[in-house]
Amino acid sequence: MARLGRICPIVAMVGMLVVSTPTQAEYQFEFGHWYGQSLNSHDGGFESCTASLHNHDDQMLLVRFDRDFEISIGVFDDDWSTKLGDTAPIVVWLDHIILYGGLALAIPKDGYYVQLNQRDWSFNLMQNAQKMLFKIEDQSILFELEGVSSALSSLVACVNHERDEHSTT
């Protein structure tokens, strides 16, 4: 949970491509090595739920569901120096299946993200995956996805909870 300060600005970038920091998380969960939370905009409206996982090289995978269950994934490395507007060629594998191939958008400082277009297919594929591999330019980044099914279920519960909470306010 010490990385919460790093995650909040990243999630704002993934969701909106503007530099802002969402307000404090209302809904939080932990499952195994996964840490998740909801994020609200400055006006208090529900923005998204995220789950993060670190690998052995301390690189971070971030899975984001917005209020409509659209899925984005991001990868972060402290050794990178990215700027808003940068792009990089990327291929993302789940086990031995290509989940995404194309350009990733930079998140300032140390990350790249992609929006997954085939939401249901992507969700179902991720739910049963063992490994996620990112190939960005000449670098390979591997994440062991132990507990991913529970993390994804927690993201769905988070979005449902926050949508319910914010529909009554």
Side-chain angles (χ1 to χ4, degrees), residues 34-46:
W34 291 89
Y35 170 75
Q37 63 185 15
S38 66
L39 296 169
N40 296 326
S41 62
H42 289 290
D43 66 5
F46 169 59

Side-chain angles (χ1 to χ4, degrees), residues 89-162:
I90 189 171
V91 179
V92 182
W93 278 272
L94 283 173
D95 298 327
H96 298 288
I97 299 171
I98 293 177
L99 176 65
Y100 180 89
L103 286 179
L105 297 174
I107 297 171
K109 226 172 136 204
D110 62 355
Y112 289 97
Y113 86 97
V114 297
Q115 176 81 33
L116 301 179
N117 294 326
Q118 298 175 337
R119 176 181 61 196
D120 294 338
W121 178 79
S122 298
F123 180 86
N124 290 332
L125 198 60
M126 284 192 300
Q127 211 169 20
N128 297 307
Q130 302 297 310
K131 297 178 182 181
M132 184 178 285
L133 175 68
F134 290 82
K135 293 260 189 178
I136 300 174
E137 296 175 340
D138 61 349
Q139 187 174 6
S140 295
I141 300 173
L142 180 66
F143 293 93
E144 302 287 336
L145 299 179
E146 182 179 341
V148 69
S149 182
S150 294
L152 292 173
S153 294
S154 295
L155 280 173
V156 169
C158 175
V159 171
N160 285 330
H161 175 268
E162 290 299 312

